[in-house]
Amino acid sequence: MKSYLRYRMSHDLNEIAEVPILSPPFSWVPWHENWIVPLSDIMMKSFADTIDAKIFPNFITRSGCQKIITYLLERKQIIQQSTWLIFHRQEGCAFIQSVLENQTGMIQNLGVTPNFRRNGLAKAMLLRSLWVFRIMNLARAELEVSAENSAALDLYERLGFQITGTTFRTPVKDDSLLCQN
Ligand SMILES: CC(C)(COP(=O)(O)OP(=O)(O)OC[C@H]1O[C@@H](n2cnc3c(N)ncnc32)[C@H](O)[C@@H]1OP(=O)(O)O)[C@@H](O)C(=O)NCCC(=O)NCCS
């Protein structure tokens, strides 16, 4: 079975650019557990055709995405202030989820639906999360990304993340490992 190279990346939270202002009709929507359904919809649209969906097939369906979200809510400590949805008018178009692990802010999932990419949404969400981690006095931010995901890699490197390690992932067959970290 093919395995996929993934990079672990880290940011020391020392130099963080300003968060760009989102202009209407884009708006920030803070995380609330009532948002599981809209979030699963944004997640599926953002990830369904990506390399990550080959590794974590839960990303392909709304119900699979709901399982990922529920898993995170039950097993991990969500950082509320750095978990956001972005709406364009009434349409959910982007999201970021962060969790706390050992004084580290883990960017667990980040996605923008195809029609809304290259508008600076991912950059704005990531920078906002990095500032929250710094204000919380966390030691660093970390994430994992597929080596073939050049768009995400470029984004992370431009914002100051550095590769700190590598790992190989084989596609997950069942729900035993639901999400990325
Ligand atoms: C990766 C992803 C989140 C980027 O979202 P986005 O909102 O389009 O990114 P932004 O507009 O904020 O881009 C910021 C910078 O990232 C880099 N970037 C983003 N998309 C890129 C692409 N397709 N190719 C190369 N660089 C890219 C660029 O440096 C860009 O700056 P620029 O537009 O000034 O050149 C989006 O493509 C996505 O959701 N992909 C599928 C899900 C995914 O892979 N999530 C990450 C999992 S680790």
Side-chain angles (χ1 to χ4, degrees):
M1 185 186 288
K2 179 174 163 65
S3 63
Y4 295 86
L5 174 62
R6 310 236 322 151
Y7 296 132
R8 286 194 177 279
M9 301 187 83
S10 179
H11 193 295
D12 63 15
L13 306 179
N14 283 328
E15 283 186 31
I16 311 171
E18 267 183 47
V19 182
I21 291 172
L22 282 192
S23 306
F26 289 108
S27 60
W28 295 96
V29 175
W31 169 245
H32 186 279
E33 293 191 14
N34 287 351
W35 291 110
I36 290 179
V37 172
L39 175 56
S40 62
D41 191 58
I42 304 171
M43 188 182 275
M44 185 202 67
K45 288 180 183 156
S46 304
F47 278 95
D49 60 350
T50 65
I51 187 84
D52 287 0
K54 295 195 170 121
I55 310 173
F56 308 101
N58 272 298
F59 280 131
I60 295 170
T61 61
R62 272 185 194 82
S63 60
C65 289
Q66 283 191 24
K67 283 184 187 169
I68 294 175
I69 299 161
T70 309
Y71 173 92
L72 284 178
L73 290 173
E74 287 172 354
R75 311 255 187 106
K76 307 248 181 176
Q77 192 177 343
I78 300 266
I79 305 177
Q80 187 93 20
Q81 312 91 305
S82 61
T83 296
W84 291 92
L85 284 66
I86 292 178
F87 273 68
H88 180 268
R89 299 197 175 91
Q90 305 304 318
E91 181 180 355
C93 60
F95 77 102
I96 188 164
Q97 286 179 305
S98 306
V99 300
L100 181 63
E101 267 178 24
N102 305 323
Q103 279 303 298
T104 297
M106 306 289 303
I107 306 291
Q108 194 77 25
N109 285 307
L110 161 77
V112 178
T113 59
N115 289 346
F116 291 96
R117 289 180 188 159
R118 300 312 285 262
N119 279 303
L121 299 183
K123 179 177 170 185
M125 293 188 295
L126 261 178
L127 287 173
R128 193 163 182 171
S129 292
L130 294 179
W131 277 107
V132 168
F133 297 162
R134 180 142 123 188
I135 290 162
M136 289 173 71
N137 245 342
L138 300 187
R140 69 190 72 78
E142 285 187 4
L143 53 82
E144 197 181 295
V145 57
S146 297
E148 292 175 42
N149 189 347
S150 53
L153 254 179
D154 195 88
L155 166 74
Y156 299 143
E157 281 176 337
R158 280 190 63 181
L159 296 194
F161 280 84
Q162 292 182 330
I163 294 173
T164 52
T166 57
T167 179
F168 282 91
R169 296 270 195 183
T170 50
V172 176
K173 284 203 205 103
D174 54 33
D175 290 349
S176 56
L177 180 60
L178 282 161
C179 55
Q180 305 203 29
N181 294 302

